Amino acid sequence: MVESTYARRHEIHDYLSTQKAAIKNDVPPAKEWIEMEDLIELLKPLEAVSVDCLAFKSSTFHLVLAELECLRSHLEAFNEDYAKAHWICELAKDMLAKLEDCLKLSWKTPGVRIQVPMITRLLDPSIKDAYLPIVESRTAASTMLKHIVPLYKNVPK
């Protein structure tokens, strides 16, 4: 909707300018149209990632991770673009922080901290152990998985 509104900004401007009374004063200034363009530029990759991930019946984590890395790069670049409106850069900064938090997801069980992205990669059959090429890291991951398995032994069906 925002994108189609922006695409028709000249028509909207012309229409609102010809009206009477209060609506005539509601013509968005050029600055607001530029901010709308920046907002579209910020959100466009989110739409692309959503469409890509929905294209697969069941996206595995390694496919989604590549998309999230592209999104992270986009948000980092956008966050540092001082030509954009300040509030949009702040929005990009907040989105980047939330994305970083999601990629660091972990949970604690007594005596061990389990990183969710690592586990999802290890359980993805298309990756196998390519994610952990060093023997020590595979051993540590194996130990971590051993802590997870008991959590699912008594799950009601």
Side-chain angles (χ1 to χ4, degrees):
M1 183 170 98
V2 174
E3 193 172 13
S4 62
T5 302
Y6 179 76
R8 302 188 83 175
R9 66 190 177 279
H10 299 297
E11 295 167 35
I12 293 169
H13 180 273
D14 293 345
Y15 174 77
L16 291 175
S17 298
T18 61
Q19 299 304 307
K20 297 178 182 175
I23 198 167
K24 190 173 188 174
N25 298 328
D26 290 336
V27 176
K31 179 183 177 228
E32 289 181 12
W33 288 114
I34 292 169
E35 289 178 359
M36 188 181 291
E37 182 180 22
D38 292 345
L39 185 62
I40 292 167
E41 185 182 340
L42 173 66
L43 298 176
K44 201 70 168 155
L46 286 159
E47 178 187 28
V49 167
S50 298
V51 169
D52 286 349
C53 290
L54 288 171
F56 301 103
K57 187 173 183 178
S58 58
S59 294
T60 55
F61 190 72
H62 78 283
L63 296 173
V64 174
L65 183 63
E67 298 280 2
L68 293 177
E69 290 299 331
C70 287
L71 197 53
R72 181 194 321 206
S73 297
H74 170 72
L75 292 172
E76 284 173 349
F78 213 96
N79 184 34
E80 296 167 0
D81 188 349
Y82 300 110
K84 307 290 185 207
H86 177 72
W87 70 271
I88 293 177
C89 290
E90 288 297 313
L91 178 61
K93 182 179 177 182
D94 291 346
M95 291 168 73
L96 181 61
K98 289 190 187 289
L99 179 60
E100 294 286 345
D101 286 347
C102 289
L103 292 174
K104 291 178 190 170
L105 273 180
S106 63
W107 76 84
K108 292 180 183 178
T109 60
V112 67
R113 185 176 188 96
I114 301 168
Q115 292 195 345
V116 177
M118 175 191 274
I119 299 304
T120 56
R121 288 180 188 123
L122 291 172
L123 295 176
D124 186 339
S126 61
I127 293 178
K128 298 185 182 169
D129 60 2
Y131 175 68
L132 299 168
I134 302 168
V135 174
E136 292 83 15
S137 60
R138 273 187 251 152
T139 304
S142 173
T143 303
M144 195 180 294
L145 284 171
K146 288 177 185 174
H147 287 283
I148 293 175
V149 172
L151 298 173
Y152 293 95
K153 283 191 175 184
N154 296 323
V155 175
K157 293 182 181 182

